[in-house]
Amino acid sequence: GRRPTPAARSRNGASASDLVSPEVLSAGHRDRLGVPHQRRGAGSACHSRVCSLAHRVLQEAPTGVWRCEVGIVPGPVIRPAREDELRELGVIEQEADALFVEIGMNDMAAADPETLLPAQRAGRVLVAVTRADEPVGFVRLEIVDSTPHVEQVSVLPGYAGHGLGSRLLDAAEEWARKRGYRRMTLITYRDVPWNGPWYRRIGWEVVEEDRLMPELRALRKRERVAGLDVCPRQVMEKHLG
C-alpha cells in the first residue's frame, strides 16, 4: 500500500505507442520505426488524450487540435511480468520515486521483489517493455475487499511523460474486466500533481473514509503506522462499466 506513481499522462488510449525517445526521433530513424501513429501519418490531427508524444513532436494548433509531426512510432508491449524480472521492477520503482524527493518526500522505499511474487504468479503484475524486451514500467494489482486494487504504478523517468502510465492502467482495467470485476481501487497522495489530481482527470473518484470496506480501512491504518501520511492520502475508485 504505497502510492501509485503515474508517469505522466494522457494515460489512456492510443493503440500506437507514445513511448519514444529523442534519439528515436532523429531524422535518420523516422522512416523505419514501428506502427503508424494512429494509422494516419505525419501531420495528421490527433486528440491530446490519445497522442501524448513529447520531444518536439507535438504542436498545438490555434484550434486546440494537436498535430503530430512524425508519422510512425515504435509500439510498446504490455504483458504479464516474468519472475526473473521482479528485481528489475524494484529498480524501476526506486527510480520513479525520485520524483518524490523533489517535493521533500525522501523515504519512498521500493517493495522487496519477494513481495511481488504472489501477484506475479497470479498474473497481476503487468510490465511495459521496449522492442528489445527491456522493462520500463509496470503496474501491480492486489485483491483488496474482493476488488482489484492498484498497489503500484511505476515508469522509468526517461520514459515518463508519454502516456505509458495510462496504458498500464488501461491494461490493468482490462485484466479486471475480463475477470468480471466492475470496480477498482487505489490509495494515492491527494495533492501531489501526478497522483490524486491526475487520477481525477482520468476518471477516478474519491472514496470517503466512512465508505471504506474493512480491508481498505486496515490498509490505510497500516500506511499511517508505516509513516506514509507525510502528505494527505486518499482512497479512490473507478467503475469499469
Side-chain angles (χ1 to χ4, degrees):
R2 302 191 338 238
R3 87 317 74 242
T5 306
R9 297 112 191 305
S10 120
R11 269 179 202 203
N12 268 340
S15 58
S17 168
D18 38 18
L19 182 84
V20 67
S21 68
E23 295 78 13
V24 163
L25 293 179
S26 65
H29 290 78
R30 291 186 185 182
D31 61 347
R32 51 191 176 86
L33 302 180
V35 296
H37 177 60
Q38 294 301 295
R39 305 182 185 278
R40 294 174 184 170
S44 62
C46 49
H47 194 282
S48 61
R49 277 183 62 81
V50 173
C51 178
S52 61
L53 293 173
H55 303 303
R56 304 179 307 281
V57 181
L58 288 180
Q59 294 180 338
E60 188 173 10
T63 60
V65 173
W66 293 78
R67 294 188 175 273
C68 184
E69 294 177 348
V70 294
I72 49 179
V73 295
V77 173
I78 296 176
R79 57 165 173 76
R82 301 190 305 263
E83 183 173 340
D84 63 359
E85 294 172 321
L86 298 185
R87 190 165 301 279
E88 192 167 357
L89 300 190
V91 173
I92 291 173
E93 185 176 347
Q94 285 183 318
E95 294 194 22
D97 283 352
L99 285 172
F100 286 87
V101 176
E102 298 176 7
I103 60 172
M105 299 167 63
N106 301 313
D107 298 319
M108 307 299 292
D112 186 315
E114 290 295 321
T115 66
L116 301 177
L117 194 54
Q120 182 270 327
R121 289 178 173 172
R124 299 196 308 269
V125 180
L126 305 176
V127 62
V129 297
T130 65
R131 297 173 75 187
D133 205 38
E134 298 170 342
V136 294
F138 74 97
V139 58
R140 168 190 171 192
L141 295 174
E142 299 293 347
I143 303 300
V144 179
D145 293 313
S146 302
T147 299
H149 178 82
V150 181
E151 176 67 20
Q152 186 67 30
V153 180
S154 292
V155 173
L156 283 176
Y159 290 86
H162 314 309
L164 184 54
S166 283
R167 293 172 63 89
L168 283 163
L169 285 176
D170 286 347
E173 290 175 19
E174 184 63 18
W175 182 95
R177 285 192 189 93
K178 285 183 176 179
R179 288 155 181 82
Y181 294 104
R182 293 292 177 263
R183 175 177 173 265
M184 295 175 66
T185 61
L186 58 80
I187 304 174
T188 192
Y189 285 106
R190 185 189 68 195
D191 302 318
V192 173
W194 59 91
N195 279 198
W198 182 78
Y199 282 110
R200 287 194 294 273
R201 289 198 298 273
I202 62 170
W204 291 75
E205 300 174 348
V206 175
V207 180
E208 300 300 338
E209 291 283 331
D210 60 3
R211 288 185 51 218
L212 296 186
M213 299 285 284
E215 292 179 8
L216 265 179
R217 190 179 300 277
L219 182 54
R220 281 295 295 124
K221 183 177 181 179
R222 291 197 297 273
E223 287 189 341
R224 285 189 287 268
V225 171
L228 288 179
D229 284 17
V230 292
C231 292
R233 286 172 68 73
Q234 64 187 9
V235 177
M236 304 187 79
E237 65 181 357
K238 186 171 185 180
H239 294 279
L240 303 181

